Amino acid sequence: MIYIKTYEYELIDKFLKDKGLEHLKCKQLYQRKYSEVVAILNLFLNLPEEQKKLFMPLLTSNIWHSNLENVRAIFDIFSNLREEQESLFKPLLTSTIWNSNPENVRAIFDIFSNLREEQESLFKPLLTSNIWKSNPKNVSAIFDIFSNLTKEQEALFKPLLKSTIWNSNPENVKAIFDIFSNLTKEQESLFKHLLKSTIWKSNPKNVRAIFDIFSNLTKEQKEVFMPLLTSNIWNSNPENIKAIIESKIWENNLYRKLLTKSIWNKSITKIEKIIETIEKLKLEKYITASCLNLSPIQIKALYHYMKSNNIPAIIDGKLNPLFNLAPSLMLKRYRVNLKELVERELESGLSK
């Protein structure tokens, strides 16, 4: 049995050498029978010259991940391309195509094989060799969503369309598309800069809720909160966003400086507790946005540590920089172990 396998190795090596295909050698190759190797390679070697130009550059060791039937099926799909089809599909043909399911490849090929001129300008930039790994039903559904855009819709959505769109959930894409597909001029001015390709991965219910929150702000609220928005807003918690906007905290001008673009990732409950803690320590005049990265107990522990060691909490009219550091940086730069300070604080009963 060992003799037969060794003999097959020799036959494979000789065949590859004779045909100038020694670059195809790899571990997977020697797991194939000699007859399979010859049959697959003869498919390539016996192609008409015109088809050889298309397929021979794709002949790499990836071919051994496929089988004769799949290779033949993929040949059939791309063997008689029209000129416009070749310009569309040729850049998408790489050696990874042999790892794809021919039925999926055929279905995706059919979706894009007869594009209108305006469709080609929209979809061609979204087509990469990864498309053959996508789910054809999803590709078809997403294709349908964006196939008949108005000029206004194309101006809004085209910048959001990347090759990753084909791996999105079509139902989510449609729901998000519907939210933004008929914006008023005012809404477009509010939201257009917040729309990035990452939005298709967001939860449509959250997107709708957030859209409604910011669409119905008062003029004064828009002036305060709209500058704080980035494309990350769509992944925030709508209820927390609403609570932040409606909080009475911001009526105190001391706390307006806490309104930064990172505010939407903070829990309103935590914000309120931190402010309550800072007020008890009589530090509210000096509060910074970085304080919101600590917890109330951490702030207390740090304050009492400073007091015990005669370290001023206020330096030159500003909060001691320690309050603005992450615990890891406190330890690294100043050898202040905040975890230990918190443990002592809890043990001392000062954090009631």
Side-chain angles (χ1 to χ4, degrees), residues 34-78:
Y34 170 72
S35 58
E36 291 175 335
V37 171
V38 171
I40 289 173
L41 292 181
N42 277 338
L43 280 179
F44 286 88
L45 297 171
N46 294 325
L47 289 172
E49 286 304 314
E50 203 57 38
Q51 290 178 6
K52 278 186 180 179
K53 291 179 185 178
L54 183 64
F55 292 115
M56 288 304 284
L58 313 183
L59 183 53
T60 70
S61 57
N62 277 336
I63 196 69
W64 310 122
H65 293 288
S66 192
N67 59 50
L68 184 64
E69 290 181 2
N70 285 357
V71 173
R72 186 180 282 123
I74 291 171
F75 271 169
D76 290 343
I77 295 168
F78 297 102

Side-chain angles (χ1 to χ4, degrees), residues 134-194:
S134 302
N135 182 316
K137 289 183 179 178
N138 288 355
V139 172
S140 180
I142 292 167
F143 176 86
D144 290 342
I145 293 168
F146 295 103
S147 277
N148 296 290
L149 300 178
T150 64
K151 286 185 178 180
E152 294 78 13
Q153 289 172 336
E154 184 168 342
L156 184 65
F157 290 116
K158 191 172 183 178
L160 315 185
L161 299 180
K162 308 295 180 187
S163 60
T164 53
I165 189 74
W166 309 114
N167 298 320
S168 301
N169 181 317
E171 291 182 4
N172 288 356
V173 170
K174 181 67 166 68
I176 292 168
F177 173 86
D178 289 343
I179 294 168
F180 296 101
S181 61
N182 292 292
L183 299 179
T184 63
K185 285 187 177 180
E186 183 186 6
Q187 287 173 330
E188 186 168 336
S189 69
L190 290 177
F191 296 114
K192 188 174 182 178
H193 71 287
L194 304 177

